[in-house]
Amino acid sequence: MFEFCADPSILPDWQWFACYLTSGTHLAFYRSFLVVILLLLVVAPLALGMGMLGALAIRAHFLPLNMVGRGYVNLVRGVPDIVFFLFVPIALGQGIEWVLHQINCPDWDQPIRQGNDWLVCREAKMPPVGASAWARNVYAFSMAVVAFAFVFGAFVANTLHGAMQAVPQTQVETAEAYGMTHAQAFRRIVLPQMWVYALPGLSNIWQILIKATPLLFLLGIQDAVYWARELGGAKTSLYTYPHPDWRVWYFLVLLCFYLFLTWGSEKGFGWLTLRMSRGQATAEGERQRRRRAAA
Amino acid sequence: MRTCAESFAGYFLRPLGRDYGERLLPRGLEITFCDQAFLIAGGLLWNIYFAGLAILFGFFLATGVALAKFSENPWLNRPAAGFVFVFRGSPLFIQFFFFYSAFVLLPRVGVEIPLGFTTLTLHTSALTTAQVGALFVLILNTTAYSAELFYGALRAIPKGDLEAADAYGMTGFSRFRRIIWPNMLRLAWPSYTNEVIFLTHSTTLVFLSAFPARQQSGEAFYYARYFVDQTFNPFVAYPLVGFYFILLTLAIIGASGLVNIHLNRHLPRPQRARIRFRPQYLR
């Protein structure tokens, strides 16, 4: 990075640290924080979508759909989320390979599961044989995204269902008295008003989601935890930058990063709650209306 | 092939250590369904150990921290609020890593604290084991979360109850023990149940982070992961561990429901909050 970094062993302390903290592996470490943020930004809308579908399924009058919705929410709730984080990627990966195998190699006569081996034909391998490292990373990352969306979708479904119930029933009845159909009443009355009730729950789930992101490490993705372990471990004089066991400092940095993230999103949700309350038939909405009327 | 009875004898207590069953875990093609069922079930003993002790210590510590946070003395409420902020704001997984890498830096022989008349030696090597070190982290973590719940409950204690206590001339500890504490517990109980469930679920992270599983004795999910690595078949071990955890969750909800009835016994029936399988996600 800097000119003077050619031979770090003779540098004074501050220059040594300047070189050390800008080495290639450290730049990868800093990029891995962006991976965490990227995961959050991708998972949030997907989980919201899953949650919406789940909440609609719970509300459905059609019994099998209703049971699927309830089963989904309660199953995810009763089992530690880490089980799903590890189960979904591997199960989904095998599922995709199985489907590709059926399509591409219909005349394959051996069983796919032989003892402890999982054997599909060459064309059915995912990611494909010879795929670049970049493609493999994207594949692993999208598997993680699906797993997170599955788990957090269930949490969101429960919150959204509660929020839909919280919209005053009389308003829905009024809408229907004006001749709106059930779907119209839902779209025009329930949907716009439910968010203010859902927000406290959603903010909570967002915080849980932030705190679940370090588990990416267990899915073999080179995230911040991976790099903290790699970089922090004691380095002998074989390395360019030898140092003793510094893992505790690296994890302290991670701890502060997450504290900042949760603190910041708490502030963000505080602002959003105020914004969402505008024009609502709640105490906060009423207070804002009075203040505007007085001004 | 082992029979189920052999699996039970060989593996059910194996999670406690090598001396309590077969020396080696089943490997490769010799893994039977019963092996998986019993070894994972035996692993639950550690989940119950971690969760049970963490809840026990955390409960009393959390009461103290909540009172400190609620107090009007800034020397008490600032540190308490800071403690709660740090442990609620950061992931448990990172806390495990952080504390483990801090514990390994402690001198192996122990830390000597001179007290003037005598020297106290703290044996720190135990802290690098999961059974002590991870339990320590779990206690701090659940203390922070429960303290926040108790703090919320303290703020919601009905004014009338406090006035009644004053009218009876209750002060100090008797006012706390008879009025404040039961009310706090009653109000916090549904969300505290939720915290207990979450904590029980997070005990699965203990051996996935930095803490080593000595002699391959780990908790239920450690074994489930081991079996999936061995058989490359996620459709047996993971559903099994999921099933066990659902049973454990239901047991917690049942026990907590009984406590809840006891805590609310003075209230008319419709006012009692019920403990249900669909609690709020307060974590």
Side-chain angles (χ1 to χ4, degrees), chain B residues 94-143:
Chain B
I94 304 283
Q95 289 166 18
F96 276 135
F97 273 114
F98 174 74
F99 278 96
Y100 180 75
S101 41
F103 289 154
V104 291
L105 293 180
L106 295 173
R108 285 210 155 264
V109 285
V111 178
E112 300 206 331
I113 303 172
L115 290 176
F117 55 96
T118 177
T119 312
L120 190 72
T121 308
L122 288 180
H123 293 283
T124 48
S125 59
L127 281 173
T128 58
T129 65
Q131 280 73 14
V132 180
L135 180 62
F136 178 77
V137 178
L138 282 170
I139 289 173
L140 292 183
N141 189 272
T142 188
T143 299

Side-chain angles (χ1 to χ4, degrees), chain B residues 1-3 6 29-32:
Chain B
M1 267 313 179
R2 262 183 299 273
T3 64
E6 283 167 1
L29 287 172
E30 62 174 68
I31 293 174
T32 65

